[in-house]
Amino acid sequence: QFATRVVSCQAAELRPEGGGAPVRGFQVVLEDTILFPEGGGQPDDRGLIGEVPVLRVTRRGPEALHFVPAPLEPGAAVVLSLDWDRRFDHMQQHSGQHLITAIAEQMFGFKTTSWELGRQRSLIELDTPSMTAEQVEALERSVNEKIRERVPVTVRELAADDPEIETVRSRGLPDDHAGPVRVVDIEGVDSNMCCGTHVSNLSDLQVIKLLGTEKGKKNKTNLVFLAGNRVLKSIEQSHSTEKALTSLLKNGPGEHVEAVKRLQSSVKLLQKNNLNLLRDIAVLIARDFKSKPVRSQLFVLHRKEGDSEFMNIIANEIGTEDTLLFLTVGDEKEAGLFLLAGPVEAVENLGPRVAELLGGKGAGKRGRFQGKAAKMSQRGEVQALLQEFISHRSPEA
């Protein structure tokens, strides 16, 4: 917690991180703050000003702007409360990034070009087109050795014109930077210009887990990592998944992969058999219709199980020169697929109207119009439309 005063409060809007309509609120400037504004690859802090939640903290030059949903009186004395769990998580990930970056450069000459502190995992963009599994393993081993050595992490401030700044690792200062330059030192390992929040000793990182690499931008590699409590949470999630799979698969964790492979093989075989049965059913339905002494000009069929191929087989078997076919598959209360087949002119005329009635979209050519339907329950209205069309069609047509 931290006692301070409100300097200013102005109406403002906040665009949610996940998108959506802007949120109306207020931007508050305080005499001083313990809430970190987003910057340097690190997200912002959260907390309370009195009882009012802080939804975002951004930087404008030397000022931190606190976005809040309710106004605060300029000049009022307030107490700031910091969301410590969020802050400590960010400290662990950010200090972890400094450590990984420094050791990766020392061991392999891989420079860090950018990084991202994500909600679940973090990425370090390395200036190398690739990184071997052996290099990842060696890097992980080395950074965890430094954690076990309990290396101190200190912060110092240098004047902007101090010649020592030239010896400090940096990607450059922001254009609107003001005041002294902040340097974070990992004793004997790294000295880095940084505005973010950090642990005071590498032992506070607990452990770092490198999850592997992903292909980055041109000639870059993204190294994925977890630090501290995130490693524990990941282990807990993995253990819960393992217990659930053990219960479902009726075997131990070491046999899970083989059990899933056997299930996949069984499912593929069942799907193949099911497809063959659907094809046979489609042929039988068509033949049954063709065997009738007097054929109707309209053939309507709905089946919960099926696909586009099922409907097209029926249309091919029946033939669509004299008969108008309306076929649908899927759950009647949900979305599904439809096919309208028949004389070319009739289908071209009716297809878009059928799609509209079913709340879906489709396309057609050569006497076939098919697509997706959002309102399968509207099939009755489509059938009435088709019946009306046939009843008004002249015998010559």
Side-chain angles (χ1 to χ4, degrees), residues 151-163:
V151 176
V153 180
T154 56
V155 175
R156 56 200 170 102
E157 291 185 348
L158 301 177
D161 58 354
D162 192 317

Side-chain angles (χ1 to χ4, degrees), residues 1 7 18 75 89 99 104 133 236 250 312 342 371:
Q1 290 189 325
V7 173
D89 172 56
L99 177 60
E236 180 58 36
K250 310 299 182 189
N312 277 293

Side-chain angles (χ1 to χ4, degrees), residues 9 55 301:
C9 178
L55 306 180
L301 175 75

Side-chain angles (χ1 to χ4, degrees), residues 43-289:
D44 57 339
D45 282 333
R46 295 286 190 271
L48 299 170
I49 302 178
E51 299 297 323
V52 180
V54 178
L55 306 180
R56 185 78 58 82
V57 190
T58 55
R59 186 177 68 84
R60 184 177 63 192
E63 293 180 331
L65 306 177
H66 307 73
F67 185 89
V68 292
L72 295 168
E73 187 67 33
V78 292
V79 174
L80 264 178
S81 300
L82 173 69
D83 179 343
W84 175 249
D85 288 341
R86 178 182 171 94
R87 160 68 74 85
F88 187 61
D89 172 56
H90 291 174
M91 289 163 59
Q92 287 187 318
Q93 309 317 307
H94 203 158
S95 295
Q97 176 264 314
H98 277 221
L99 177 60
I100 296 166
T101 287
I103 301 297
E105 187 168 348
Q106 289 171 17
M107 291 181 73
F108 311 115
F110 298 159
K111 291 186 179 296
T112 292
T113 47
S114 68
W115 87 291
E116 177 189 348
L117 200 167
R119 290 186 178 180
Q120 266 109 31
R121 58 184 203 159
S122 299
L123 299 174
I124 298 174
E125 184 185 73
L126 297 174
D127 191 13
T128 176
S130 63
M131 190 173 183
T132 67
E134 291 75 20
Q135 287 174 323
V136 172
E137 186 180 343
L139 179 59
E140 180 180 280
R141 191 163 51 246
S142 183
V143 297
N144 282 295
E145 283 173 2
K146 290 297 179 185
I147 291 171
R148 288 192 295 274
E149 288 173 12
R150 297 174 50 82
V151 176
V153 180
T154 56
V155 175
R156 56 200 170 102
E157 291 185 348
L158 301 177
D161 58 354
D162 192 317
E164 191 179 344
I165 288 178
E166 299 300 320
T167 66
V168 175
R169 186 165 56 84
S170 167
R171 297 202 305 271
L173 289 166
D175 294 336
D176 60 349
H177 175 266
V181 175
R182 190 168 179 270
V183 177
V184 176
D185 293 313
I186 302 175
E187 190 177 284
V189 178
D190 186 44
S191 186
N192 189 5
M193 199 181 294
C194 182
C195 66
T197 59
H198 292 271
V199 298
S200 59
N201 191 289
L202 289 188
S203 63
D204 291 330
L205 297 183
Q206 299 165 273
V207 66
I208 285 176
K209 179 62 188 172
L210 302 184
L211 299 178
T213 60
E214 297 174 352
K215 189 172 178 58
K217 297 173 186 173
K218 188 177 180 182
N219 293 325
K220 300 283 196 298
T221 297
N222 292 333
L223 179 63
V224 187
F225 77 93
L226 304 173
N229 289 332
R230 291 194 182 191
V231 179
L232 299 178
K233 288 179 182 177
S234 178
I235 291 172
E236 180 58 36
Q237 288 171 353
S238 296
H239 183 58
S240 296
T241 301
E242 195 174 85
K243 285 200 303 184
L245 287 173
T246 297
S247 176
L248 289 168
L249 299 173
K250 310 299 182 189
N251 59 16
E255 299 170 292
H256 287 172
V257 173
E258 287 304 316
V260 171
K261 285 180 179 178
R262 289 194 298 272
L263 283 173
Q264 286 179 326
S265 297
S266 298
V267 168
K268 285 179 182 177
L269 182 61
L270 288 170
Q271 287 174 333
K272 184 178 179 181
N273 292 339
N274 188 48
L275 188 59
N276 290 333
L277 287 171
L278 277 174
R279 287 170 180 163
D280 292 342
I281 291 169
V283 171
L284 289 171
I285 288 170
R287 288 179 181 173
D288 179 63
F289 175 77

